[in-house]
Amino acid sequence: MDNCLYYGDNLDILRRYIKDESIDLIYLDPPFNSKATYNMLFKEHNGEQSAAQFQAFEDTWTWDQAAALACQEVIERGGEISQVLQAFKVIMPESDMLAYLSMMAIRLLELRRVLKSNGSIFLHCDPTASHYLKIIMDMIFGGENYKNEIIWQRINAKGNVQRKFGAIHDVILCYSKNLGTEIWNQVYRPLDDAYVNSMYRYSDPETGRRYRLDNLTAPMTRAAKGQIYDWKGYRLGPSRCWVYAKDKMEELDKAGRIIYSESGYPNYKRYLDENPGEKIPDVWTDISPAFGNENLGYPTQKPIALLERIIESSSNEGDTILDPFCGCGTAITAAQKLGRKWIGIDITYLSILVMKRRLEETFTTPIDYEVIGEPTSLPDAKALAENDPYQFQWWSLGLVGARPTEGKKGADKGIDGRLFFHEQDGGPTKQVIFSVKAGNTNAAHVRDLHGVIDRENAEIGVLITMEEPTKPMRSEAASAGIYTSPWGNHPKIQILTVAELLAGKRIDMPPVRQTNITYKRAVKSKGNKGNQKELFDQES
């Protein structure tokens, strides 16, 4: 299905939902531990935790049971990719790097399956592993289908780097399913000012259009029928021919596009406004990281200009774009802006939450899409609460429009989420504090929330629970009192069950009125200026 967000492990999603040869363009920026040293990635590991179950932003791969199974599955498939992983297993046994390469290989095999015959894939990776990944890509997609190794300069030169050159670039490996038949649209960037001033030195006195004089001759080795002749008495030497046939030269001359030197030598009048720009090479130094209004605060966020360039070059309007590690949704946002259909997959519900908010806040017209894999019933919610309480927390906060306060476990100070509101425009910021409990709850949790409200000087506290609250819990909540606003009286502590939230019940509070400042807000598309906020709350 097009225009769809999938919550889950992308390997499972690809196998269950994505059809063979249904995708026109794939971009993936898989998690990788860029902070780890090269040697650390070869450290041997044991353990059985699932590599798929890392929390948001953990950005690491570990040799464990899941990685070992992935490696074995690829090896048992046979063929060249099997031989490569067997070789890797010898030179880097049971290391984090082998885990990374094994988990990538099994996913890249699925990505090749879903890619159309005229499609392309762009793999964004860290230079620490790009050389290994290129070997894997050669084996899966075929070395003959390799197109580019794109170097993206993501930051300027690093200072304070000891005993090596500063690492300032990422690598993007580009392959086609079948080189020569793939979708390709030439993309350009503006000409350099120094080049324009140096080359386009003339201007028409009447129109003011800038132009340069270009050569109308070519080496004789490029001569075709009709390109060897005398032109208005000017004869070329034996090693040169004219670029155009005589009838085309006459057409250009009549249009005033040929200027003659004193010796009678013709030059082509090439206008600046007819130049589409410089063809983009494979080293990209003109796209800065996401910053300022664009930056949502997501640690691995890529600039939308980067994704727009990739999507424009290798797909057409109406094509389907797939990002199997879509993070904060830059690829799907760019695809939507450029009139493409899209599919995004991520294993953390926080990413799904960020993407839903980004689509809502970026586009003035509501986007038609579906989210698959998120709980829609009480049994689904109970299963999520039991299997992954942390993901359950993000999902339940999303039901009420609240945003997580921390990206990592154990640093929340009793606060799982926040909402902010103003009673009047320009007035002081007021807040709602959230606590989420996936398991058993009791009156002590309500008392704890009461203490957090007092400490944070918050107006309202909300306890979201999987289980029905007990009578002592309701009594404890009632004893917290009432908060009065211009919209009426609101219980200072409120208890909402997941069943109530799924049924449509919401917080008794003043309207948010677009003043939620828990996340940064996405920039509105089509020139609408977004109101930028912080992704995670910052302690003041």
Side-chain angles (χ1 to χ4, degrees):
M1 178 177 290
D2 298 318
N3 284 9
C4 194
L5 294 177
Y6 288 92
Y7 165 48
D9 186 335
N10 54 25
L11 182 60
D12 177 60
I13 298 299
L14 287 166
R15 288 173 169 174
R16 291 175 59 194
Y17 294 102
I18 312 301
K19 297 179 180 178
D20 293 0
E21 297 198 354
S22 59
I23 305 298
D24 297 283
L25 172 64
I26 298 170
Y27 168 83
L28 63 157
D29 179 19
F32 195 72
N33 195 345
S34 57
K35 294 179 181 179
T37 66
Y38 185 76
N39 290 331
M40 285 178 64
L41 287 166
F42 288 87
K43 183 173 60 176
E44 293 185 5
H45 286 267
N46 293 311
E48 297 184 355
Q49 69 180 48
S50 171
Q53 296 301 321
F54 46 74
Q55 303 300 339
F57 314 146
E58 282 297 317
D59 206 22
T60 187
W61 302 85
T62 303
W63 182 261
D64 54 20
Q65 188 177 62
L69 290 172
C71 184
Q72 190 62 28
E73 182 177 338
V74 175
I75 288 174
E76 290 176 354
R77 286 194 178 205
E80 293 178 323
I81 185 60
S82 172
Q83 297 172 26
V84 166
L85 273 200
Q86 289 180 63
F88 285 164
K89 198 172 181 181
V90 172
I91 64 176
M92 54 180 89
E94 298 187 352
S95 66
D96 286 349
M97 181 64 82
L98 180 59
Y100 175 68
L101 298 174
S102 300
M103 300 296 261
M104 286 303 302
I106 198 168
R107 286 161 173 79
L108 288 167
L109 285 164
E110 291 299 322
L111 292 173
R112 187 186 186 282
R113 175 185 63 80
V114 305
L115 189 63
K116 288 183 180 178
S117 61
N118 65 341
S120 296
I121 180 170
F122 288 75
L123 170 56
H124 197 135
C125 51
D126 188 289
T128 306
S130 61
H131 48 303
Y132 295 120
L133 286 170
K134 188 177 186 307
I135 296 172
I136 289 176
M137 294 287 280
D138 281 348
M139 297 304 102
I140 293 176
F141 288 89
E144 70 278 8
N145 293 314
Y146 164 74
K147 289 189 68 171
N148 284 110
E149 178 184 65
I150 298 165
I151 303 299
W152 172 47
Q153 181 180 316
R154 52 186 168 77
I155 57 174
N156 293 324
K158 280 189 174 182
N160 303 319
V161 177
Q162 298 290 326
R163 302 181 67 83
K164 68 174 185 176
F165 300 110
I168 63 171
H169 79 277
D170 285 357
V171 174
I172 304 174
L173 299 174
C174 176
Y175 285 74
S176 295
K177 185 79 168 278
N178 295 288
L179 190 63
T181 67
E182 78 280 10
I183 299 169
W184 174 250
N185 304 308
Q186 183 63 59
V187 289
Y188 302 86
R189 63 186 179 195
L191 296 171
D192 181 75
D193 288 342
Y195 173 82
V196 170
N197 292 331
S198 171
M199 298 300 294
Y200 290 87
R201 294 179 288 119
Y202 310 101
S203 61
D204 277 338
E206 294 182 1
T207 64
R209 295 174 70 191
R210 295 181 67 171
Y211 66 89
R212 68 183 178 92
L213 299 181
D214 204 0
N215 193 7
L216 281 167
T217 70
M220 186 61 75
T221 54
R222 291 173 50 190
K225 185 177 180 181
Q227 290 180 231
I228 303 172
Y229 51 88
D230 291 347
W231 177 254
K232 293 193 174 183
Y234 195 94
R235 177 172 296 181
L236 296 175
S239 64
R240 305 292 292 180
C241 68
W242 298 108
V243 172
Y244 301 111
K246 193 170 185 178
D247 57 347
K248 178 64 175 179
M249 288 282 279
E250 290 172 347
E251 180 183 327
L252 293 173
D253 192 37
K254 185 179 295 185
R257 298 299 295 266
I258 297 179
I259 294 180
Y260 298 89
S261 67
E262 292 182 359
S263 64
Y265 184 82
N267 293 277
Y268 182 55
K269 191 177 186 180
R270 193 175 295 278
Y271 286 106
L272 174 61
D273 57 22
E274 294 176 343
N275 191 327
E278 177 190 1
K279 289 184 177 181
I280 303 294
D282 62 2
V283 177
W284 297 356
T285 61
D286 59 329
I287 297 179
S288 301
F291 66 90
N293 287 348
E294 183 184 345
N295 184 12
L296 300 176
Y298 199 93
T300 58
Q301 181 179 351
K302 300 302 182 291
I304 198 164
L306 185 77
L307 273 301
E308 287 177 344
R309 177 172 292 176
I310 290 171
I311 291 170
E312 286 181 325
S313 72
S314 300
S315 70
N316 297 318
E317 286 193 30
D319 285 350
T320 300
I321 314 302
L322 167 66
D323 184 350
F325 295 91
C326 55
C328 65
T330 302
I332 64 173
T333 303
Q336 182 67 37
K337 286 181 65 177
L338 296 171
R340 275 70 166 171
K341 293 174 286 189
W342 48 264
I343 296 172
I345 309 171
D346 207 277
I347 198 169
T348 66
Y349 193 77
L350 179 59
S351 291
I352 301 298
L353 178 58
V354 171
M355 285 183 280
K356 290 166 70 174
R357 291 290 176 184
R358 188 172 187 180
L359 290 170
E360 176 186 336
E361 294 169 356
T362 299
F363 299 98
T364 55
T365 302
I367 306 302
D368 184 20
Y369 69 95
E370 186 174 356
V371 182
I372 295 177
E374 67 175 349
T376 57
S377 66
L378 194 57
D380 292 341
K382 286 182 177 179
L384 181 61
E386 292 171 0
N387 296 329
D388 196 333
Y390 210 38
Q391 300 281 357
F392 170 80
Q393 174 182 307
W394 290 329
W395 169 77
S396 57
L397 289 171
L399 292 178
V400 293
R403 319 284 181 93
T405 56
E406 298 289 344
K408 292 184 180 290
K409 209 169 184 178
D412 55 24
K413 297 182 180 180
I415 304 171
D416 294 325
R418 300 180 194 256
L419 273 177
F420 291 81
F421 64 94
H422 295 158
E423 291 186 352
Q424 58 186 19
D425 292 339
T429 300
K430 299 180 182 295
Q431 64 175 320
V432 181
I433 298 292
F434 291 84
S435 177
V436 180
K437 300 300 177 185
N440 294 327
T441 54
N442 53 53
H445 293 136
V446 182
R447 286 193 293 273
D448 290 342
L449 179 59
H450 197 170
V452 173
I453 291 172
D454 291 341
R455 185 191 74 212
E456 298 292 318
N457 198 26
E459 279 63 40
I460 296 173
V462 178
L463 178 63
I464 298 177
T465 71
M466 188 70 246
E467 304 295 334
E468 284 290 327
T470 63
K471 185 175 180 180
M473 290 173 63
R474 294 192 182 279
S475 297
E476 189 71 37
S479 69
I482 297 295
Y483 163 65
T484 302
S485 79
W487 289 268
N489 296 324
H490 318 276
K492 196 168 182 66
I493 290 184
Q494 302 174 32
I495 303 175
L496 293 175
T497 66
V498 168
E500 289 173 328
L501 292 175
L502 289 172
K505 187 174 181 179
R506 290 298 178 259
I507 309 161
D508 184 352
M509 63 174 289
V512 174
R513 297 170 61 193
Q514 302 300 314
T515 58
N516 180 8
I517 59 174
T518 309
Y519 277 157
K520 284 188 174 181
R521 301 179 66 82
V523 181
K524 284 285 186 183
S525 183
K526 301 180 181 178
N528 291 322
K529 188 175 181 182
N531 178 23
Q532 293 300 311
K533 307 296 181 185
E534 292 300 322
L535 173 63
F536 294 119
D537 288 337
Q538 302 297 318
E539 294 292 329
S540 57

